[in-house]
Amino acid sequence: MKIELKQEDIDFDVLTSDELIEYISFKNEFPSEAEKAFIVFCNRFQQDVIKTAEIYSNKYGHSEVIALDIANCTFAKVWKYHSFDKSKSKIKDIDKAIKIWLHAIVFNELMKYGVKDTCSEPEEDDLSIVENLDDLVSLTVGEDSEKRKDLKIRLEIIERAMLGLSEKHKIIYLTYKAYENNGKNIPRIVGKKLREKLNLVQSSIQVYKKEATDHINNYLNSLNGNR
């Protein structure tokens, strides 16, 4: 669906939920309209999202306060990514399809909370490249001392595997290790910072990444007797 903004005021309350998402997706071009659509969208699904967050949170031993945090993070994800695609849904009722989509986001945010004790994400401008294992630990588990200690122990083998790699190889490998998740690419702002700091084009970064990954995998395979 292609949105064409008209000069007269838009009554967002009467729009279908997928139309609201379409308006939200134009937040850079039409911030005022996107914000109004987002407010209506949140009001429309707030009760269901909070209820779902409370059910999931209770199941995993979290409080209602955390459930509310999860709900807020869910709507923050909608504002940031607005990835609902009705063409991929088998459910004809748009609101029901969106609820299922939102429930999946709630669950993902809850799982993130279990790992990082927060479901909030830093602003893109605050995202940084990872230059060493301490940076990787901080980015992954935050300031929790026990989790930091545990992760550092598990990363010792990676530290040994990186011996012989150049600083560029290490930085590229660790940065991708930190941000790549479930097949997703690293954030664009991080890629830009990486290119600027190392004075490399993206194709060269990919070469460095492959060389570092192969080097580390070969080391790990040799430990397991697979080489």
Side-chain angles (χ1 to χ4, degrees):
M1 178 178 66
K2 179 73 173 179
I3 286 182
E4 294 183 3
L5 293 176
K6 299 178 180 179
Q7 294 299 319
E8 64 265 21
D9 289 338
I10 302 167
D11 186 355
F12 288 97
D13 287 317
V14 302
L15 295 181
T16 62
S17 298
D18 59 317
E19 288 176 328
L20 292 175
I21 293 175
E22 284 288 336
Y23 274 101
I24 294 169
S25 72
F26 283 90
K27 63 183 180 182
N28 292 328
E29 295 84 356
F30 307 104
S32 177
E33 288 79 4
E35 185 174 345
K36 291 175 183 177
F38 182 64
I39 291 172
V40 172
F41 182 90
C42 291
N43 289 337
R44 190 172 294 179
F45 293 99
Q46 183 179 46
Q47 186 174 352
D48 179 76
V49 167
I50 291 176
K51 181 180 178 181
T52 303
E54 288 176 346
I55 292 172
Y56 285 167
S57 295
N58 181 63
K59 182 178 179 180
Y60 286 89
H62 296 304
S63 67
E64 291 184 359
V65 174
I66 291 178
L68 184 58
D69 195 17
I70 297 296
N72 288 332
C73 286
T74 297
F75 285 117
K77 267 290 173 56
V78 172
W79 174 255
K80 190 171 184 179
Y81 297 112
H82 41 76
S83 59
F84 176 76
D85 185 351
K86 68 177 181 180
S87 66
K88 295 181 180 180
S89 176
K90 297 180 181 179
I91 301 174
K92 293 183 179 180
D93 187 310
I94 292 298
D95 280 8
K96 287 184 179 179
I98 288 176
K99 284 181 180 180
I100 292 175
W101 172 65
L102 288 170
H103 294 174
I105 298 176
V106 169
F107 184 78
N108 287 337
E109 295 305 294
L110 181 65
M111 293 300 99
K112 186 192 300 180
Y113 203 102
V115 174
K116 296 186 176 181
D117 290 329
T118 180
C119 60
S120 61
E121 296 182 350
E123 293 297 322
E124 283 203 344
D125 287 343
D126 295 332
L127 298 177
S128 60
I129 62 177
V130 179
E131 300 191 34
N132 51 57
L133 288 176
D134 284 338
D135 288 348
L136 179 60
V137 170
S138 296
L139 188 64
T140 305
V141 297
E143 299 303 319
D144 187 299
S145 58
E146 287 301 316
K147 289 183 178 180
R148 288 177 66 90
K149 181 180 178 181
D150 180 61
L151 184 56
K152 279 187 174 182
I153 292 173
R154 288 188 282 130
L155 287 175
E156 284 179 356
I157 189 171
I158 298 296
E159 186 172 27
R160 293 195 297 271
M162 289 194 300
L163 291 174
L165 289 176
S166 70
E167 283 303 305
K168 286 184 178 181
H169 282 97
K170 292 177 183 178
I171 291 172
I172 290 170
Y173 177 82
L174 291 173
T175 299
Y176 272 86
K177 191 77 172 174
Y179 290 106
E180 277 189 329
N181 185 28
N182 296 326
K184 295 181 180 179
N185 294 325
I186 64 173
R188 282 180 293 179
I189 188 67
V190 176
K192 182 174 182 290
K193 289 179 179 180
L194 206 53
R195 292 190 294 273
E196 291 176 349
K197 178 176 180 62
L198 302 179
N199 194 26
L200 294 171
V201 296
Q202 187 60 36
S203 58
S204 296
I205 287 177
Q206 293 299 327
V207 172
Y208 273 88
K209 179 193 173 190
K210 184 179 186 307
E211 289 176 348
T213 301
D214 288 346
H215 177 89
I216 291 171
N217 286 342
N218 287 338
Y219 177 86
L220 297 177
N221 287 335
S222 68
L223 291 182
N224 295 326
N226 296 326
R227 187 178 177 184

